[in-house]
Amino acid sequence: DFVLLIKLVHAAVDYATAFATNISSNNGDDGPSTALLPPRIFGEAISSLSKTKASLSKIKSLWSYFVHDVSPAAVLTLPPSAYELNAMLTALGERGKVLAAMKLYHQVTGAPSSAAAAPISTTAAIVEKDGETKGSGEGMGTIEGDAYTACILFGMLADSVTSNRGGGGGGAT
């Protein structure tokens, strides 16, 4: 059940936050790093949610929670990576939201985009690269895509062109 999956992710973040708060209050601010959660947990959760009957808004809300509430906190062992981005792009592509996927890609990678690809506030991302926060908005940064990211985007674009042609043959003329 996708509701339990969302609750499990929130519980893991709450536990990691409570643990980090407890450790930092006992050791002061100069204590060891208290990061517990690998960001892959969110990538796996998004990927799993996309295989359920969860609505796109539920998936987007988990992504938003990840990038706005969890990423700035000191509970992640690493910044968001291409794996989490790829999970979200795949979820959008599976639901036929090609334009939303392209907007997300442009926003989180810092790639140049047209006016039609303006940022979506619910699908923003945060990551520090080389010690600097990059991107637009408060705390905004970039996630570098990888070869699989390009494959996902090209695949969904190809599928959208094929479906727009009516499905039959669809060869170039």
Side-chain angles (χ1 to χ4, degrees), residues 10 13 16 24 29 32 36 49 51 72 77-78 83-84 87 90 101 109-110 112 121 126 142 162 164 168:
H10 281 270
V13 171
S24 66
D29 291 335
L36 290 176
L49 276 177
K51 294 175 180 145
T77 57
L78 297 168
Y83 182 80
E84 295 78 35
T90 301
T109 62
S121 63
I126 299 167
T142 58
T162 302
N164 286 341

Side-chain angles (χ1 to χ4, degrees), residues 95-167:
R95 285 166 168 72
K97 302 298 183 183
V98 178
L99 184 58
M102 295 304 294
K103 287 178 181 179
L104 174 65
Y105 174 77
H106 285 290
Q107 186 176 12
V108 302
T109 62
S113 62
S114 66
I120 304 171
S121 63
T122 59
T123 54
I126 299 167
V127 67
E128 286 192 9
K129 183 177 181 181
D130 301 327
E132 278 183 29
T133 302
K134 307 227 181 213
S136 61
E138 184 178 325
M140 290 298 291
T142 58
I143 297 175
E144 265 190 60
D146 56 10
Y148 190 59
T149 307
C151 181
I152 292 167
L153 292 171
F154 284 129
M156 72 175 72
L157 286 171
D159 289 344
S160 73
V161 169
T162 302
S163 65
N164 286 341
R165 290 183 180 230

Side-chain angles (χ1 to χ4, degrees), residues 3-70:
V3 175
L4 293 176
L5 182 60
I6 294 170
K7 287 181 180 181
L8 183 62
V9 170
H10 281 270
V13 171
D14 291 344
Y15 175 79
T17 302
F19 181 78
T21 302
N22 186 30
I23 294 296
S24 66
S25 67
N26 290 338
N27 294 338
D29 291 335
D30 296 332
S33 172
T34 56
L36 290 176
L37 296 176
R40 185 172 179 120
I41 288 172
F42 288 90
E44 294 289 349
I46 290 168
S47 180
S48 297
L49 276 177
S50 71
K51 294 175 180 145
T52 67
K53 293 181 181 181
S55 67
L56 186 57
S57 65
K58 293 284 186 204
I59 297 170
K60 281 184 173 183
S61 70
L62 183 60
W63 174 262
S64 181
Y65 176 65
F66 171 52
V67 298
H68 292 294
D69 300 331
V70 179

